[in-house]
Amino acid sequence: MMIKSSFKKSISAVFPFWMMVLVCSCQSPKQKADEQKPSIIEMVYQDTSEATINQLKALLKQDEQLFRWKTHFIVFGKDIHAALSDSLKMKFPEAELKHYDDLFYEFNRSYCADTVHASEWEHSILTANLVADTALQKEYLQYHATQFQEWPEVSKGFCDASFQQLLLFKNGRQLMLVISIPKGKSLDELNPKTTENNPRVNEWNKLMSKYQEGITGTAEGKTWVFFNGEK
C-alpha cells in the first residue's frame, strides 16, 4: 500500500488513484470481538450486460455491495463466501470465481487520537497485483505487518484524512484494497491530508511502488484500478 498526493494524474501506485470512482454507502460496523469478518468475492465473466448485473443484484443480501471493472465483478460484504459462492456457481457456471478473505492489513480509527467513527461510510475498492518475485512479495507483506510500529506516519496520515478503515486482501498475487470514508466526503477532498506536514508518507509511497503491478487489462503505466459501484 502507498499514498501519493497527486492522484488525478495517475493511478500507478496504491493511493494516488482517487478519480472516477463510484462508491456505495453503508452503516459503519460496530467494533465487536464477535463481528463478522469482511470479505470479497470476485467473478470474472464476459457478459457485462444489464441482465447479468440484475441477476447478480438479486443474489445479494442487503448489506452486500456489487462493484465492477471491465469483466471483473466483485461483491463486498461480511462472511459472504459460503452462501453466495454456491449461488454464483449455479447461476454463472462459466465464470471464474476468486475469494478474498486473507485480510493481511487493516487500519481503523483505533489507531487515531480521535477514535470516533462516522455514522455512515462510503467504500472504494481497487485491485492490483504483487510482482511475481516471491522474495519481494514477502518483503511487501512484512512491511505491512510492521507498518504501525515502524512507519506510524502512514496511519497518522489516514487519521488526518478522516479515513474510517483500509483493508488489504490477497489471493495469490492479486490484491484487493477497500478504502472507507465518511459518507458525503470524497477521496479527492480527503487524500491530500495524508501527506500534509507528513513527508515520510512520500518515502513509503516510493518504497511500495516496486512491489506492485497492474492486473491483466490495466492500461500501460498504471497499477491500481477502481471498481465502479453498481447501484
Side-chain angles (χ1 to χ4, degrees):
M1 175 184 49
M2 59 182 296
I3 310 171
K4 292 184 179 179
S5 59
S6 178
F7 44 84
K8 289 189 176 180
K9 295 182 180 178
S10 169
I11 55 172
S12 61
V14 181
F15 287 133
F17 35 52
W18 311 122
M19 62 180 181
M20 296 179 64
V21 58
L22 299 180
V23 293
C24 294
S25 63
C26 70
Q27 295 293 324
S28 59
K30 296 180 180 179
Q31 302 299 311
K32 295 182 178 180
D34 60 350
E35 182 186 16
Q36 292 179 311
K37 295 180 180 179
S39 54
I40 291 173
I41 288 181
E42 178 183 25
M43 184 179 86
V44 182
Y45 191 62
Q46 297 303 310
D47 183 355
T48 61
S49 66
E50 184 175 353
T52 294
I53 293 171
N54 289 336
Q55 287 176 317
L56 284 167
K57 289 179 179 178
L59 298 175
L60 304 186
K61 295 186 295 185
Q62 185 175 1
D63 61 347
E64 294 173 347
Q65 300 166 61
L66 179 66
F67 298 77
R68 181 174 70 87
W69 175 73
K70 294 187 176 180
T71 58
H72 296 252
F73 297 88
I74 61 170
V75 177
F76 175 54
K78 299 290 186 64
D79 289 339
I80 57 178
H81 295 339
L84 182 58
S85 182
D86 290 343
S87 297
L88 291 173
K89 288 176 183 177
M90 292 180 61
K91 197 74 173 179
F92 307 99
E94 307 90 353
E96 174 189 352
L97 297 181
K98 294 178 71 173
H99 294 174
Y100 296 83
D101 47 17
D102 180 4
L103 178 61
F104 68 90
Y105 176 87
E106 178 180 5
F107 162 84
N108 57 56
R109 298 296 296 180
S110 69
Y111 293 99
C112 305
D114 177 7
T115 61
V116 176
H117 290 84
S119 60
E120 292 184 279
W121 299 356
E122 296 183 338
H123 302 306
S124 302
I125 303 184
L126 306 91
T127 191
N129 272 342
L130 290 174
V131 295
D133 187 310
T134 56
L136 291 180
Q137 293 173 23
K138 291 178 181 178
E139 286 182 17
Y140 180 84
L141 296 176
Q142 182 60 29
Y143 271 117
H144 284 79
T146 60
Q147 184 207 78
F148 294 112
Q149 295 76 35
E150 298 184 9
W151 293 80
E153 297 86 354
V154 177
S155 57
K156 181 182 183 299
F158 299 158
C159 295
D160 293 344
S162 299
F163 291 171
Q164 303 298 294
Q165 71 174 6
L166 287 94
L167 309 175
L168 266 172
F169 299 89
K170 185 174 73 70
N171 182 320
R173 289 202 296 131
Q174 191 171 349
L175 304 172
M176 286 284 177
L177 169 66
V178 180
I179 310 110
S180 304
I181 62 174
K183 184 178 180 180
K185 298 292 185 179
S186 71
L187 292 173
D188 284 328
E189 172 189 357
L190 297 179
N191 189 64
K193 298 180 184 296
T194 61
T195 56
E196 191 174 281
N197 300 317
N198 198 351
R200 198 162 189 239
V201 173
N202 292 320
E203 297 178 34
W204 173 266
N205 296 343
K206 183 177 180 180
L207 180 63
M208 292 299 104
S209 64
K210 71 176 182 179
Y211 297 107
Q212 304 150 351
E213 62 187 19
I215 67 170
T216 301
T218 304
E220 185 177 356
K222 307 299 182 183
T223 301
W224 288 84
V225 294
F226 283 105
F227 288 88
N228 291 333
E230 297 287 350
K231 296 186 177 182

